[in-house]
Amino acid sequence: MAALSSAAVTVPSFSRAAVAPRSSSSRLVVRASFSKACGAAAVAVAASAMLAGGAMAQDVLLGADGGVLVFEPNDFSVKAGETITFKNNAGFPHNIVFDEDAVPSGVDVAKISQEEYLNAPGETFSVTLTVPGTYGFYCEPHAGAGMVGKVTVN
């Protein structure tokens, strides 16, 4: 799931439209290049989509809004090099420990885990995984309650 906090889109202006002089019948004629305006709008929409696509990241809540001890979402995929941000939501303290038996070969879990507890509401931990494969992770104090997750890196 991607989150886009803001994007700028330029909407074409028709302020340069040609206005014909008034005739005796009081008709107003406006000439504007509709195809040019549509083209500019299409370019702006495409640029926004590319901008959003390049900023892909995965946000994961630590604890559900109702207080359930889970990662939300608990099973997701990212592309190699995308950032995953874990955010304290409810039922803390939490940590994020990658299971050494459930990561791709050669990955050092000490370098990607956050074993220190996140204690404050809204506190975050971000990690960028670059080796494709499946990564299992858990919250140490709440694993027994089912606070476990899995990310697949493509």
Side-chain angles (χ1 to χ4, degrees), residues 4 6 43 87 92 97 103 120 127 143:
L4 179 64
S6 67
V43 168
K87 182 179 179 182
F92 37 85
V97 179
V103 297
V127 63

Side-chain angles (χ1 to χ4, degrees), residues 32-123:
S33 175
F34 184 70
S35 64
K36 196 175 196 179
C38 287
V43 168
V45 169
S48 294
M50 286 174 49
L51 202 124
M56 292 294 289
Q58 178 68 49
D59 294 330
V60 179
L61 293 179
L62 303 175
D65 287 334
V68 180
L69 298 171
V70 294
F71 290 99
E72 206 171 75
N74 68 345
D75 190 350
F76 56 93
S77 295
V78 297
K79 291 180 183 175
E82 289 181 340
T83 300
I84 303 164
T85 300
F86 295 89
K87 182 179 179 182
N88 241 359
N89 187 49
F92 37 85
H94 299 295
N95 64 0
I96 302 92
V97 179
F98 284 88
D99 184 344
E100 65 185 25
D101 296 325
V103 297
S105 179
V107 172
D108 184 355
V109 294
K111 291 182 179 178
I112 60 173
S113 295
Q114 170 64 35
E115 293 199 31
E116 296 292 322
Y117 291 143
L118 302 177
N119 291 303
E123 195 172 4

